[in-house]
Amino acid sequence: HVQLVESGGGSVQAGGSLRLSCVASGATQDIDCMGWFRQAPGKEREGVATILREIDTRYADSVKGRFTISKNSAKNTLYLQMNSLKAEETAMYYCAAGGRGYCPTTNRGYWGQGTQVTVS
């Protein structure tokens, strides 16, 4: 089993930046892919970015060029650097991990409790 704990959320003005972190523990050797998701009030959870084996990164079109996902395997920590934040990106941000050979999706994987990001 895998446990995930996010941190780094908070309140920021539009155009500002935040860096989210997610520490993984437990069966981390089984994790091939991790990602960030977000869910705004009244909306469905959506994928933001994923990173596979630390080299293959994917981003939602809406965040390309502004967000950067990275991972420090030695620290079992996933990051999301968010720049030029927009008010509509106010949401709960979740860290997620897949198992061997798969990336997390909204219906599959291990999930953290989330960290709130508010952009005003």
Side-chain angles (χ1 to χ4, degrees), residues 99-117:
R100 289 191 182 277
Y102 72 88
C103 284
T105 68
T106 55
N107 297 315
R108 189 183 186 192
Y110 301 97
W111 290 83
Q113 294 299 305
T115 184
Q116 178 68 38
V117 172

Side-chain angles (χ1 to χ4, degrees), residues 17-89:
S17 299
L18 281 175
R19 188 193 195 203
L20 306 183
S21 299
C22 171
V23 178
S25 60
T28 58
Q29 70 279 3
D30 293 336
I31 299 174
D32 283 337
C33 182
M34 297 185 73
W36 290 97
F37 292 72
R38 64 188 179 190
Q39 187 167 18
K43 295 187 177 181
E44 294 186 353
R45 190 171 296 187
E46 63 175 359
V48 175
T50 57
I51 182 167
L52 174 65
R53 299 192 183 95
E54 301 181 52
I55 58 174
D56 183 1
T57 58
R58 306 287 175 93
Y59 296 92
D61 288 343
S62 61
V63 307
K64 284 180 180 177
R66 299 185 298 117
F67 288 15
T68 303
I69 189 171
S70 61
K71 184 181 178 186
N72 184 326
S73 291
K75 296 183 178 181
N76 288 321
T77 302
L78 180 73
Y79 302 99
L80 184 68
Q81 177 67 44
M82 305 185 294
N83 298 328
S84 301
L85 281 161
K86 305 175 183 179
E88 56 264 36
E89 294 179 312

